[in-house]
Amino acid sequence: MSVSSSSGSGDYAPKFAIDGKPNTRWSSNFYDTEWWQVKFAQPRTISGLKILWETAFAEKYEIAVSDDGEQWKKVYDVAEGDGRTDFAFFKPVECRYLRIQCIQRGTGWGNSIYEVKFYGAEDAPKVSAASAAEGGSADLALDGDPATKWVSGADADQYLEVQLPEQVDLGGVELLWGEDYATSYGVECSTDGHQWKKVFSESNGN
């Protein structure tokens, strides 16, 4: 595995974002559109990233993949990042290159990352549901494509459950409902899949 970036050298070289040490970092020049990328030794399936930002973070950025380092495909984007630790999950994709393309800085400094962790296909979030209609499986609710959807197989109380590869701190969930939406629902969280805590409820959804 090799790494490169648009800028950053010495104690802030791009290699320090994957050295396994949370106190070393990659840091760019003081510009918005800087990037950091990795070239895997061979094609690798990636389902997400964990990015540990330094104080100088990217408020807007994209994650893109490539087979040749020339033609890129965006797989994830963030428009209102707040730094700290970001978890980005997307439909598993095989690639040789992966790039974090910073678009707009969140501070007057550059863009700086302490550590990047890659999630493989085996680490992809697991999605299940109480029921699913034909052609509307649960995994379609988390495939990154707004044209596909989970459709429950019954009118009774239903649930959609997502199991992440590790425990994370969540500030909220964005739900894009289809035409058959729930007017009353709740959001619950669990650390073990057995004990659940309701963190949000809606009784007049539209």
Side-chain angles (χ1 to χ4, degrees), residues 9 69 128 201:
S9 59
S128 59
S201 62

Side-chain angles (χ1 to χ4, degrees), residues 64-81:
V65 297
S66 173
D67 293 326
D68 57 10
E70 299 292 335
Q71 300 296 318
W72 295 88
K73 176 185 178 182
K74 181 175 71 173
V75 293
Y76 195 87
D77 68 291
V78 172
E80 297 180 350

Side-chain angles (χ1 to χ4, degrees), residues 25-27 53-58 83 105-113:
R25 60 190 173 99
W26 163 68
S27 187
W53 292 98
E54 196 255 350
T55 303
F57 66 94
R105 292 169 293 165
T107 71
W109 303 95
N111 303 274
S112 187
I113 297 174

